Amino acid sequence: MNAKRFLLLACLLLLVLVWIPAGVSAQDSSGVQTYTLGVAQPFTGSLGTYGTDFGKGIQLAVDQMNDQLAAAGVKIKFVIASADTQGTPDGAAKAVQTIVQTTGAQVIVGPLTTAEVLGAKQFADANNIVLVAPASTGMDAAIPGDDIFRLFDPPDNFAAKAFVQIATARGYQNVVVLHVDDPFGDGMESEFAKDFQAAGGKQVSDVKYAPNPTDLSSESTALSAAVSQLSASGKTAVFCACYLADAEKLLTVAELDPVLSSTDWMGVENLASPEILQDASAADFLRKANFISVSFADSSTPLTQKFIDDFTAKFGAAPGPFTNYAYDAANVAMLSMVMAGNNGTAVKAILPFVADHYIGTTVQAYLDANGDQAVANYGVYKVDPNNAAFVSVGTYDGSSNTLTMNAGS
């Protein structure tokens, strides 16, 4: 082969490599293209239980999608590329960057928390990488026009309004908010304080703690002191805007505090978890504290039971809280890719249309101008008299800002 011919072939090969869209493998012998779906979740750290279960939900969605595409003769196959965010902003940025640079993925399901989403945001926006986040709710990420879509779990401005109505109905004049010092916790405290005082509440005091704490003894002491101080001017409650593992650490010391153990408590959605009731002392504390949580709606669609059955059959255990959101987010992401190809810019354009026509496993997806879930229906939960489970005691409709409590609740 002469030098001129070799140079020509090399140039042609380079053109082919440049032309192939990122994240799309060369067609196999049957013409099937492989699309990579990224998965960036906290598989380790304090949120590792959630991230691991989310990963399973996404795997189930991918397996089912591949089966349906093959049965229909559609020559597309999805594979997963996963990376551990470790539950931190830096970890999320590295996870997303690793997935993209090693696989060419253009669409990623995750990250989980708002802090992680914001950690990955700069790289995603700069490189037209679509992030489909199924559980980020902090208001700091409610940004129009970016490459981030937050489906199924509504932004915290809805939950804050629900908690304000509960606090008002219970006669709380003051509230002390214990919250993680990250975009989720800070945002929830800010939204609650604004709405509570607008509704006629007196004072809102806050006690922050750093993410991923090893111990919350000093914060428990500060919380107790704040409750004591505000109680002099009226009925005062605690509002815990905490992650589940953090709340479990807090309760081990709070239950020994005479002030905190005689005060009403409220807590964010992830605290209405069966896991927290496995500790008998914690369960008894929460029941006696009249603990109440605003969490996912106790509702169903035609897909609800099928998802639970399919997940249980595949993994040998029922899905954990919010895992269905990850499953649904993966389906919206893949349907968008089937329609628009494995191209971040095109997926960004079509995803709102797909989401707005997707009936999820518990709620209908519908996005607002920020690309966030606009349909907000919550359940309200308390610990049952036997400390065995969280039971529904009411509902909240975000479209009308209406709290409806069951009789006697």
Side-chain angles (χ1 to χ4, degrees):
M1 180 183 294
N2 61 41
K4 183 179 291 187
R5 187 177 181 186
F6 178 82
L7 181 61
L8 177 61
L9 289 174
C11 290
L12 288 172
L13 177 60
L14 179 60
L15 285 172
V16 169
L17 291 174
V18 170
W19 176 82
I20 294 175
V24 181
S25 69
Q27 293 181 351
D28 64 18
S29 58
S30 62
V32 175
Q33 287 188 324
T34 299
Y35 290 172
T36 299
L37 181 68
V39 177
Q41 295 291 335
F43 299 119
T44 59
S46 62
L47 297 171
T49 300
Y50 288 100
T52 300
D53 232 33
F54 278 26
K56 292 177 180 178
I58 296 164
Q59 182 66 64
L60 175 63
V62 168
D63 291 347
Q64 292 178 342
M65 181 65 74
N66 283 337
D67 288 345
Q68 293 299 316
L69 291 172
V74 178
K75 294 185 180 300
I76 296 173
K77 180 179 71 174
F78 287 92
V79 296
I80 288 174
S82 298
D84 183 8
T85 67
Q86 301 177 336
T88 68
D90 287 345
K94 291 175 183 176
V96 168
Q97 187 169 342
T98 297
I99 291 170
V100 172
Q101 293 180 343
T102 59
T103 72
Q106 299 283 288
V107 181
I108 294 175
V109 181
L112 195 156
T113 67
T114 302
E116 293 168 273
V117 166
L118 292 174
K121 175 178 169 59
Q122 182 176 3
F123 178 84
D125 288 345
N127 293 277
N128 300 314
I129 305 302
V130 173
L131 302 182
V132 186
S136 164
T137 59
M139 294 303 295
D140 282 358
I143 301 169
D146 63 8
D147 290 80
I148 298 168
F149 297 94
R150 304 192 300 166
L151 281 63
F152 302 107
D153 205 356
D156 287 333
N157 58 312
F158 290 107
K161 293 181 188 301
F163 279 114
V164 166
Q165 290 198 34
I166 290 170
T168 301
R170 287 182 160 194
Y172 302 153
Q173 295 174 283
N174 310 297
V175 175
V176 182
V177 183
L178 174 72
H179 64 96
V180 58
D181 189 7
D182 76 355
F184 158 66
D186 296 345
M188 178 63 83
E189 188 277 334
S190 177
E191 288 291 316
F192 176 83
K194 175 187 67 178
D195 292 343
F196 180 69
Q197 291 176 330
K202 289 184 177 179
Q203 296 186 63
V204 175
S205 177
D206 76 308
V207 176
K208 299 181 181 182
Y209 68 89
N212 301 308
T214 57
D215 178 81
L216 287 171
S217 297
S218 60
E219 288 81 2
S220 178
T221 299
L223 183 66
S224 178
V227 170
S228 295
Q229 180 180 4
L230 292 185
S231 293
S233 63
K235 188 175 183 179
T236 301
V238 169
F239 179 24
C240 187
C242 317
Y243 295 122
L244 177 60
D246 304 340
E248 291 173 326
K249 293 171 185 174
L250 171 70
L251 292 180
T252 62
V253 289
E255 63 192 29
L256 303 177
D257 186 291
V259 174
L260 298 179
S261 59
S262 59
T263 300
D264 279 6
W265 283 58
M266 304 185 293
V268 293
E269 60 182 356
N270 70 89
L271 303 189
S273 168
E275 184 177 331
I276 204 169
L277 301 181
Q278 292 177 5
D279 183 309
S281 296
D284 196 53
F285 176 92
L286 292 173
R287 179 182 57 81
K288 291 177 179 178
N290 204 21
F291 177 79
I292 195 163
S293 180
V294 173
S295 191
F296 56 88
D298 185 16
S299 60
S300 63
T301 73
L303 302 176
T304 304
Q305 192 58 49
K306 185 179 188 313
F307 164 71
I308 295 170
D309 293 344
D310 290 349
F311 187 100
T312 304
K314 185 174 182 66
F315 299 109
F322 313 108
T323 299
N324 61 302
Y325 291 165
Y327 170 86
D328 287 335
N331 275 310
V332 170
M334 289 187 291
L335 288 169
S336 300
M337 294 169 74
V338 169
M339 294 179 68
N342 192 28
N343 179 286
T345 301
V347 169
K348 177 182 177 180
I350 198 68
L351 190 145
F353 175 84
V354 174
D356 290 354
H357 292 80
Y358 181 85
I359 298 175
T361 49
T362 54
V363 296
Q364 164 73 49
Y366 193 77
L367 302 183
D368 64 15
N370 298 320
D372 295 341
Q373 176 72 11
V375 177
N377 293 306
Y378 293 106
V380 182
Y381 299 91
K382 291 179 63 176
V383 181
D384 75 2
N386 298 317
N387 297 348
F390 284 96
V391 294
S392 176
V393 295
T395 60
Y396 174 79
D397 182 350
S399 64
S400 60
N401 190 28
T402 302
L403 176 72
T404 304
M405 299 298 291
N406 299 345
S409 298

